[in-house]
Amino acid sequence: MAERNLTAKDILQKEFNKSVRGYNTAEVDEYLDSIIRDYDSFQKDVVYLKNENERLISKVDELTKQLALAKKSTPNSPGSGVTNFDILKRLSNLEKHVFGSKIDNTDNTIDYSKATKY
């Protein structure tokens, strides 16, 4: 970042040489006061934004570490060797375990001889 040559105090303490046909001193002072207020405001904004930037960077680092830990702790995450076939096989075994003999005794065939004709 570029360094600043002036501070609000430098602007406030600046003295101009007076001449016969010089500028209106009150007008110059009023304008410099306006510049000082803006300069102070900008300096406060810079400090706030630097602090906010540091906070956000630390938050990103924290979330990145949490994500890395989550990836390590879940071995069955996609891309770790588990396929859709493995999932379907587990689901089938679970259904057999839960429903047991109900699945084996169910006749899922349709008797078309009893169907009505249109």
Side-chain angles (χ1 to χ4, degrees), residues 23-83:
Y23 295 106
N24 182 344
T25 310
E27 190 177 346
V28 171
D29 287 342
E30 184 180 321
Y31 186 72
L32 288 176
D33 288 342
S34 174
I35 292 172
I36 290 169
R37 283 191 299 274
D38 285 349
Y39 204 83
D40 281 337
S41 173
F42 290 135
Q43 284 180 327
K44 288 176 184 175
D45 288 346
V46 167
V47 169
Y48 170 78
L49 292 172
K50 282 182 180 180
N51 291 336
E52 183 70 7
N53 190 31
E54 290 173 10
R55 185 188 70 80
L56 292 173
I57 287 172
S58 66
K59 184 71 173 177
V60 167
D61 290 343
E62 177 186 330
L63 292 174
T64 303
K65 288 176 185 175
Q66 288 178 1
L67 181 61
L69 289 174
K71 285 183 178 181
K72 287 180 182 178
S73 66
T74 54
N76 292 336
S77 63
S80 64
V82 176
T83 63

